Amino acid sequence: MIHELKAAPDQRRTFVIAPNQSMSWKELLSVYCGIAAVTLAIGCYFWVQGLTLVLPFSGVELLALGAALYITAWRGGTREVITITDDSVYVETGRSRPEQRHDLQRYWTKVVLRRPWVAWYPSKLLLCSHGREIEVGRFLNEEERRGLAKILKSAINQYA
């Protein structure tokens, strides 16, 4: 998902790139609790019937599902912020605050959409300058990545 923040009077352009999230954390937690309730009810029923191994395996299944949902939700919180000013391109990556920051000179920055060497692999969107390559939008689908490449090329070359 790509959002452009409103342009400031100083001709700064800022793009926020985030993965698509189908559910919020609260919705995900409520779905997990519903699945856990049904799974534990079935496990307890079989426990009462004398099939004692069903309940421990249900618990292991819930732990695996909970871990998978947590990791997916945690990765979905990643954001990339690309800010283009008159002379610089800043790329900040992180969750609630910037954890990595890259500064590039705008005049020398090239936007490269590198095609994969195998057809089913995703392409890579790179910002290249002075031998450095910074990959952006790795969680976007192909169509969004191509659109972002077009937008970034026009924004970087706008005042060049």
Side-chain angles (χ1 to χ4, degrees):
M1 183 169 20
I2 305 163
H3 295 289
E4 181 174 4
L5 301 180
K6 295 286 184 189
D10 61 351
Q11 301 300 325
R12 174 183 301 206
R13 293 186 72 181
T14 303
F15 301 94
V16 179
I17 307 164
N20 294 327
Q21 290 183 307
S22 59
M23 285 190 235
S24 69
W25 177 249
K26 287 183 180 181
E27 294 169 335
L28 189 65
L29 197 57
S30 65
V31 167
Y32 176 73
C33 288
I35 292 171
V38 170
T39 302
L40 290 176
I42 292 170
C44 288
Y45 172 77
F46 282 113
W47 180 278
V48 170
Q49 296 298 320
L51 301 170
T52 57
L53 287 178
V54 174
L55 190 59
F57 279 100
S58 297
V60 171
E61 177 184 349
L62 288 175
L63 284 174
L65 178 63
L69 290 176
Y70 179 78
I71 290 169
T72 302
W74 184 78
R75 285 186 179 170
T78 303
R79 302 284 182 265
E80 292 177 349
V81 179
I82 302 172
T83 304
I84 302 169
T85 63
D86 288 337
D87 54 353
S88 297
V89 176
Y90 303 105
V91 179
E92 298 173 335
T93 305
R95 294 182 39 77
S96 58
R97 61 177 176 77
E99 296 168 2
Q100 290 182 342
R101 182 182 167 107
H102 302 280
D103 300 335
L104 305 169
Q105 293 179 357
R106 196 181 117 232
Y107 182 76
W108 297 105
T109 302
K110 300 294 180 209
V111 179
V112 176
L113 186 63
R114 186 172 292 160
R115 301 282 178 211
W117 60 278
V118 178
W120 61 82
Y121 280 16
S123 62
K124 287 186 175 186
L125 179 57
L126 304 169
L127 297 177
C128 305
S129 177
H130 293 95
R132 290 177 32 196
E133 293 181 344
I134 301 165
E135 185 178 0
V136 295
R138 67 176 55 111
F139 40 75
L140 298 175
N141 62 35
E142 284 298 318
E143 183 179 326
E144 290 174 326
R145 198 174 293 122
R146 276 189 240 115
L148 179 61
K150 203 181 285 188
I151 291 169
L152 289 178
K153 280 181 185 179
S154 69
I156 289 173
N157 297 329
Q158 185 174 5
Y159 302 106

